[in-house]
Amino acid sequence: MFFDIPSPRRRFRPVGAAALALGLAAVTGCSSDSGAGDDTVKIGLVASLSGTYEPVGTELRAGFELYLDTHGGKLGGRKAELVVADEGDGPPTALPAATKLVKKDKVDVLTGLVSGGSVNAVLPLVDQAKIPFLGSNARPPVKDIEYVWTTSFLSDEPGRAIAPYVKEQVDGPVYAIGPDYQGGYDELRGFTEEFKRVKGKLANPGGKTTWTPFPKTTNFMPYFAEIAKTDAKAVYCFYAGKAAIDFAKQYAQSDIADLPLYTAFVTEGSVLQAQGDAAKGIYSVLNYAADLDNEANRTFAADWTAEHDTQPTTYAMASYDAAAVLDKAIADAAKKGDVTPQTINKAIAGLGQIDSPRGAWEFSDKAHAPVQTWYLRQVRPDGAQLANVMVQDLATLGS
């Protein structure tokens, strides 16, 4: 289903940290060591702080912390205690981490989670405890969404958003490749199903996506050699974190370096600087670009660059928005009575439109995921650094 939500099209360049810091006062975090009182709300954040997706998890944590730091350490007028746990590479470490937060630390809300597999593993815990889970990265389809929300997107949406554009731009078959775990399956499925719907053809043998073992694949050269044997005119892939660095660097040195590369996440975040010139020209699709020109993004990007000296990413933005959603929901719950996990969850359902750095969005009734605009970006020089520069709007998706 498609919705019309206003989205900014102009660009701006975030102010550098050194210049901006001159006009900003220092702020401190909000974590409490003494436990939560009646006027304190406890938020449990689970993110990959080690393993393949450490760059992603680190930004999820930083985005949430940035909101707290710039809002007096409070959510809904109450002191916020943030308790952080390491998700690692997926379910085997994510579930114990989340279980501790829920059963021992007794958090009121759970947020974060990088991996779709981690989400599936943790949802029974959320359902049993009846606390809201506000995911801030890609989420797989979920049947029971009563306590489940995401401020990022459903895992198949990036591929769905860019597939028609790829079909228009590429004169011939496209090769699809991704990691063999839940997030990879969902992301590539979104692309391949939509690409076939618009009459696109896959260059893969048998018309099936090629899967690379996760997380152990670090050498992609054999896969690139196989792609070179096909009639592929472009490549579509999904990788993030450390795997994205390996993929981009090796792609630029391979026999298929001249094939256009389209992706959802390969160049997003701190990995871009590690990839260097190998990332030049790569096209990506995401729900955010650091150069979007709207008031919310100007504030967010300025605050972010003041503290981190890098451009903000969709990971940080979605986690920042998770904090913003909780800020509004907790305030609404407090106006109507007691603030409990159940009243917070009910308040989230009634929030309506969210003013966000990505542009205005709102939760869909069917999936509890954002109805939002998707953007085409390309890695280009932006001043002295490479950046994912916004090229155009692609689609507004939500269901």
Side-chain angles (χ1 to χ4, degrees):
M1 186 178 298
F2 290 79
F3 297 78
D4 291 324
I5 289 184
S7 61
R9 296 171 184 268
R10 292 179 298 164
R11 297 179 53 221
F12 88 104
R13 182 178 300 167
V15 179
L20 186 65
L22 294 175
L24 294 177
V27 293
T28 58
C30 68
S31 295
S32 168
D33 294 326
S34 59
D38 291 341
D39 61 346
T40 300
V41 60
K42 292 185 76 170
I43 311 298
L45 187 151
V46 188
S48 297
L49 305 178
S50 63
T52 302
Y53 287 154
E54 179 181 357
V56 178
T58 299
E59 297 212 358
L60 290 186
R61 179 180 63 184
F64 201 98
E65 290 176 338
L66 179 66
Y67 189 92
L68 294 179
D69 289 346
T70 54
H71 289 77
K74 293 183 177 182
L75 295 175
R78 299 188 174 215
K79 180 179 180 181
E81 180 180 349
L82 183 64
V83 188
V84 180
D86 186 8
E87 175 185 349
D89 267 332
T93 45
L95 182 56
T99 300
K100 177 184 178 297
L101 291 177
V102 172
K103 294 190 175 181
K104 183 177 179 180
D105 298 311
K106 299 193 180 301
V107 298
D108 299 301
V109 178
L110 199 64
T111 188
L113 291 183
V114 173
S115 164
S118 296
V119 173
N120 283 335
V122 169
L123 287 187
L125 174 70
V126 170
D127 184 61
Q128 181 185 42
K130 298 191 182 304
I131 67 171
F133 165 62
L134 193 60
S136 52
N137 202 40
R139 195 196 79 197
V142 175
K143 289 184 179 180
D144 184 358
I145 61 170
E146 182 179 2
Y147 289 94
V148 181
W149 309 84
T150 181
T151 57
S152 52
F153 49 86
L154 299 183
S155 302
D156 67 342
E157 289 181 328
R160 287 172 52 203
I162 198 173
Y165 177 84
V166 175
K167 175 63 172 62
E168 291 176 1
Q169 297 297 313
V170 179
D171 184 19
V174 174
Y175 197 98
I177 183 171
D180 68 342
Y181 75 104
Q182 185 66 51
Y185 302 149
D186 293 339
E187 219 295 324
L188 269 296
R189 172 174 50 80
F191 175 79
T192 56
E193 289 185 355
E194 182 66 11
F195 193 60
K196 291 176 182 177
R197 189 189 71 80
V198 295
K199 309 302 182 185
K201 178 184 176 183
L202 292 182
N204 305 63
K208 303 291 184 181
T209 299
T210 296
W211 303 110
T212 59
F214 176 85
K216 64 183 181 181
T217 302
T218 58
N219 180 14
F220 293 94
M221 284 301 194
Y223 296 96
F224 298 151
E226 290 302 312
I227 296 174
K229 297 176 183 178
T230 71
D231 57 351
K233 302 301 180 184
V235 174
Y236 181 81
C237 73
F238 158 74
Y239 290 97
K242 295 175 182 176
I245 299 173
D246 293 331
F247 190 95
K249 283 189 170 183
Q250 294 170 29
Y251 193 95
Q253 299 297 320
S254 72
D255 292 339
I256 59 170
D258 60 334
L259 293 184
L261 178 59
Y262 299 89
T263 177
F265 292 96
V266 164
T267 61
E268 182 69 356
S270 59
V271 298
L272 179 57
Q273 304 312 317
Q275 291 161 349
D277 288 346
K280 281 185 178 179
I282 295 177
Y283 286 97
S284 60
V285 52
L286 273 179
N287 58 346
Y288 176 71
D291 56 355
L292 292 175
D293 190 9
N294 63 66
E295 184 176 352
N297 192 45
R298 285 191 292 272
T299 299
F300 169 63
D303 289 342
W304 177 270
T305 54
E307 187 167 332
H308 297 280
D309 199 23
T310 62
Q311 287 198 328
T313 65
T314 189
Y315 312 124
M317 179 277 298
S319 197
Y320 180 91
D321 272 10
V325 165
L326 290 175
D327 195 4
K328 294 180 66 176
I330 292 167
D332 288 352
K335 291 176 184 176
K336 297 176 182 178
D338 292 337
V339 175
T340 68
Q342 291 75 34
T343 61
I344 294 172
N345 193 69
K346 184 176 180 180
I348 293 173
L351 288 182
Q353 194 169 91
I354 307 297
D355 186 23
S356 166
R358 79 190 80 177
W361 65 271
E362 60 186 291
F363 287 113
S364 67
D365 292 333
K366 183 178 178 181
H368 287 183
V371 180
Q372 63 188 333
T373 300
W374 289 86
Y375 305 100
L376 178 72
R377 304 108 47 87
Q378 187 181 35
V379 176
R380 300 173 181 174
D382 189 20
Q385 293 185 329
L386 291 175
N388 290 291
V389 176
M390 203 273 277
V391 177
Q392 67 178 67
D393 294 3
L394 287 173
T396 299
L397 300 180
S399 59

